[in-house]
Amino acid sequence: MSLRALSKHFFNSVRLGAVTPSLGSLFQCPTTLWVENIFLISNLNSIPTQGINALVEFSEKSSIASLQDAVGIPNAAEHHVVPFKSRLFTFTLKNPVSQPAEETPLHLSPQCHIPVTDLIQKLCLADSISSQMYILLNEYQLTEENIKLRFLACSLVRDFARAYFPDSTVKPFGSSVNTFGKLGCDVDMFLDFHDTRKSPTKMKKGPFEMEFQMKRLPSERLATQRILSVIGDCLDNFGPGCVSVQKILHARCPLVKFSHQPTGFQCDLSVSNSIAIRSSELLYIYGCLDSRVRALVFTIRCWARVHGLTNSAPGTWITNFSLTMMVMFFLQKRSPPIIPTLDQLKELADAKDKHIIGGYDCSFVSDLRKIKPTKNTETLDVLLGEFFEYFGNFDFRRNSINLRKGKEVNKPESSPLYIWNPFEQDLNISKNVNQPQLEKFIAMARESAWILLKEDKAQKIINKEPWGLAALLIPFGKSNSSKMKNRMKGIGSETIRSLLDSLKLNNANSQQKAVGK
């Protein structure tokens, strides 16, 4: 049996001797080693192995160095090894036992959520739709171990970056840290040079100034492209377990995509995407304000994925980020509101919360204690049905969604779905969505609202049929294909009907004027 140890520096300490003997015996290293935690990890999709993966947290950075000093170099008989010593280790028995003794079952932390079919069975055992939604949240949200593993992946990339840029750091953003990430989601990470760019205090005495000699390039974008190109090549050629490296340098936001086999994550590396980081912080605040926020977002995202409204690949469908913004907008529109608007959060901001990025005001309060709790007491049962009702009847032809103001605003252009970027107010975050995909979303929302309104929960339980949220997570087309086609057809003709009604009204007004003359 082998144990792949993934190490990271943390602060609280427990002596190695406190670890179970079966694990402690694997560490033949100095007794000064201090360990905080060992998490046994499953389903990492890593390099094929018979062993167990573990995340080992050390309380002192020196402990990692002590362990590295005791680790040997892989046998290079078959393949030549690249001489880069990472913090990924493999432990194997020197003399494997042909008939291993019976082992104590180990609790392995899951790294992916359960299949929807298994989830539906669990949901049917709940006593309310609210309970169902919290069950879904608990099954899908990131675990403590998974979050730590994401920070580890970032720190391993940072080790490579610091070979070129010693003051740089790599941090996760997006779904990994905004409280809305689900098990199995990608890791968005950014390379940060914040400390490098800090201006030191000028020399107060003497006629001279000193500064570092640095390469000068004509634009920040070109510098970003070159930095990512070098880091991408470094990960591709020398990074243990870094495979399928793609350098996408000409995108609006240049990035490097790669698979990190030791942790099982798909990773996207960019350079200091400041506005995206502020968006992550904003969602984090919304997610912390009320427990219903995250439960509703996870439910809507799962529902959308089941019905083919979202997809992991780029395309014309609604993204998870757009869906999340729609949920936030809906919660701002409740009476009383469940979460505040972005403008209201901006009014509560103080000097340290002031952020102007690229000419955009990205300021909002960071102290949650300054935000008054909502007086709204609606249950998740009510909110779920109302969400589908609200967007099933939303006037997408005329109105757009604006989280800064918390109200519908006339669309500035003709995109089928217009959701204002919370910070870059001249951008539509849902510009990729086409009319057929929007119509499909509306049809699914109306169908879901109808199911929740009409279903007989008691009868369905007697018949052992899925009810509530469980019923919504079964593709409708399998049982109601003809109804769905009729609903889709009706929604697609709304624009034509509206135009005809307008023509009829204009014609009637013209006739009335003629009679008056």
Side-chain angles (χ1 to χ4, degrees):
M1 181 181 86
S2 67
L3 175 70
R4 186 173 300 277
L6 311 175
S7 55
K8 182 176 180 290
H9 175 213
F10 276 82
F11 299 103
N12 295 329
S13 62
V14 175
R15 264 215 179 266
L16 180 62
V19 181
T20 56
S22 58
L23 288 175
S25 63
L26 291 173
F27 292 88
Q28 301 298 324
C29 47
T31 56
T32 56
L33 196 67
W34 286 73
V35 171
E36 182 197 348
N37 269 316
I38 294 181
F39 298 103
L40 301 183
I41 309 296
S42 66
N43 300 326
L44 291 187
N45 301 318
S46 59
I47 302 170
T49 176
Q50 297 291 322
I52 298 170
N53 298 278
L55 171 64
V56 182
E57 293 182 343
F58 296 96
S59 62
E60 299 176 4
K61 198 169 183 178
S62 59
S63 294
I64 299 175
S66 297
L67 186 58
Q68 285 176 314
D69 289 341
V71 176
I73 302 297
N75 189 338
E78 297 182 6
H79 301 95
H80 186 75
V81 296
V82 175
F84 174 78
K85 296 179 180 179
S86 74
R87 285 176 292 118
L88 297 168
F89 313 130
T90 301
F91 293 86
T92 55
L93 290 173
K94 292 180 179 179
N95 300 303
V97 182
S98 56
Q99 295 293 331
E102 185 177 344
E103 297 181 358
T104 305
L106 298 172
H107 171 69
L108 303 181
S109 302
Q111 301 307 309
C112 59
H113 60 76
I114 62 175
V116 174
T117 51
D118 294 345
L119 175 65
I120 289 174
Q121 293 180 11
K122 284 194 171 188
L123 298 183
C124 289
L125 301 176
D127 58 4
S128 67
I129 292 177
S130 293
S131 297
Q132 289 180 329
M133 293 171 70
Y134 281 119
I135 289 171
L136 186 151
L137 172 64
N138 290 329
E139 290 291 342
Y140 274 57
Q141 68 183 349
L142 299 182
T143 62
E144 178 189 3
E145 297 87 350
N146 192 272
I147 293 172
K148 292 178 185 295
L149 206 57
R150 290 166 185 271
F151 275 88
L152 171 67
C154 291
S155 72
L156 293 171
V157 175
R158 178 203 63 198
D159 292 348
F160 277 101
R162 285 188 173 175
Y164 293 93
F165 312 106
D167 295 324
S168 65
T169 187
V170 177
K171 301 174 183 176
F173 70 99
S175 56
S176 294
V177 293
N178 65 17
T179 74
F180 294 98
K182 74 169 184 176
L183 286 171
C185 68
D186 294 351
V187 179
D188 294 313
M189 55 180 74
F190 69 96
L191 186 60
D192 190 14
F193 301 101
H194 180 71
D195 293 336
T196 305
R197 290 167 179 164
K198 283 183 179 177
S199 299
T201 305
K202 298 281 186 180
M203 296 176 65
K204 294 182 179 180
K205 295 182 180 180
F208 301 105
E209 291 183 356
M210 288 194 298
E211 62 182 16
F212 289 104
Q213 290 189 16
M214 293 183 170
K215 186 80 172 181
R216 299 178 185 271
L217 295 173
S219 70
E220 183 180 6
R221 180 176 175 83
L222 180 59
T224 295
Q225 290 172 328
R226 291 193 179 181
I227 290 169
L228 287 176
S229 180
V230 169
I231 300 299
D233 286 340
C234 196
L235 293 172
D236 194 18
N237 291 309
F238 310 128
C242 294
V243 299
S244 304
V245 178
Q246 293 178 277
K247 298 186 292 183
I248 308 173
L249 304 179
H250 297 288
R252 180 173 175 270
C253 179
L255 73 153
V256 173
K257 297 178 73 73
F258 63 96
S259 296
H260 192 247
Q261 286 183 326
T263 58
F265 295 132
Q266 299 294 317
C267 304
D268 290 350
L269 173 68
S270 56
V271 173
S272 294
N273 190 347
S274 301
I275 289 183
I277 295 163
R278 289 298 283 168
S279 295
S280 301
E281 293 169 350
L282 176 64
L283 286 177
Y284 177 83
I285 287 177
Y286 280 143
C288 291
L289 288 179
D290 193 292
S291 62
R292 292 171 293 180
V293 176
R294 296 178 63 238
L296 186 57
V297 168
F298 273 79
T299 296
I300 296 301
R301 283 183 171 186
C302 183
W303 165 84
R305 191 59 181 267
V306 165
H307 296 291
L309 298 172
T310 57
N311 196 298
S312 57
T316 58
W317 30 76
I318 300 174
T319 64
N320 275 331
F321 184 61
S322 291
L323 271 180
T324 303
M325 293 294 105
M326 293 172 77
V327 174
M328 298 302 164
F329 182 75
F330 165 75
L331 295 175
Q332 291 174 342
K333 294 285 293 179
R334 304 308 295 163
S335 182
I338 294 177
I339 59 173
T341 67
L342 182 52
D343 279 347
Q344 290 168 339
L345 293 178
K346 178 185 172 184
E347 290 173 3
L348 297 173
D350 54 27
K352 67 180 176 60
D353 296 321
K354 189 76 172 176
H355 285 81
I356 305 297
I357 303 172
Y360 298 103
D361 192 345
C362 302
S363 306
F364 54 86
V365 65
S366 58
D367 188 349
L368 293 172
R369 293 170 297 183
K370 292 183 178 181
I371 306 172
K372 291 182 179 180
T374 180
K375 294 181 180 179
N376 185 299
T377 58
E378 292 175 299
T379 64
L380 281 170
D381 302 55
V382 172
L383 291 174
L384 183 61
E386 290 291 322
F387 175 88
F388 293 130
E389 181 74 21
Y390 179 76
F391 282 112
N393 294 283
F394 190 88
D395 189 357
F396 288 102
R397 290 178 291 113
R398 293 188 180 91
N399 295 329
S400 61
I401 295 169
N402 192 315
L403 273 78
R404 184 169 283 278
K405 301 182 182 300
K407 63 181 182 180
E408 299 95 341
V409 179
N410 288 336
K411 287 167 66 171
E413 45 101 342
S414 60
S415 294
L417 176 61
Y418 199 104
I419 304 175
W420 297 73
N421 187 302
F423 303 114
E424 298 174 277
Q425 285 280 282
D426 52 348
L427 294 181
N428 173 15
I429 65 171
S430 55
K431 193 174 181 63
N432 63 300
V433 180
N434 64 15
Q435 189 64 35
Q437 288 296 323
L438 177 60
E439 291 175 0
K440 184 178 179 182
F441 169 81
I442 297 170
M444 295 296 178
R446 290 183 175 180
E447 186 75 8
S448 298
W450 184 86
I451 289 174
L452 291 177
L453 183 66
K454 297 293 184 181
E455 78 169 358
D456 185 342
K457 173 186 171 183
Q459 189 60 45
K460 285 200 169 187
I461 292 176
I462 292 172
N463 296 338
K464 297 183 178 180
E465 297 176 4
W467 62 275
L469 176 57
L472 300 185
L473 298 184
I474 299 173
F476 300 148
K478 291 184 177 180
S479 57
N480 298 324
S481 57
S482 59
K483 287 184 180 180
M484 288 302 298
K485 287 179 182 178
N486 289 335
R487 291 177 187 272
M488 290 284 286
K489 192 181 295 182
I491 291 167
S493 61
E494 278 182 3
T495 304
I496 298 173
R497 286 202 302 271
S498 177
L499 180 59
L500 289 174
D501 291 341
S502 178
L503 289 172
K504 288 177 184 178
L505 181 61
N506 291 337
N507 188 41
N509 290 338
S510 299
Q511 289 178 354
Q512 197 170 19
K513 286 180 182 178
V515 171
K517 289 180 180 178

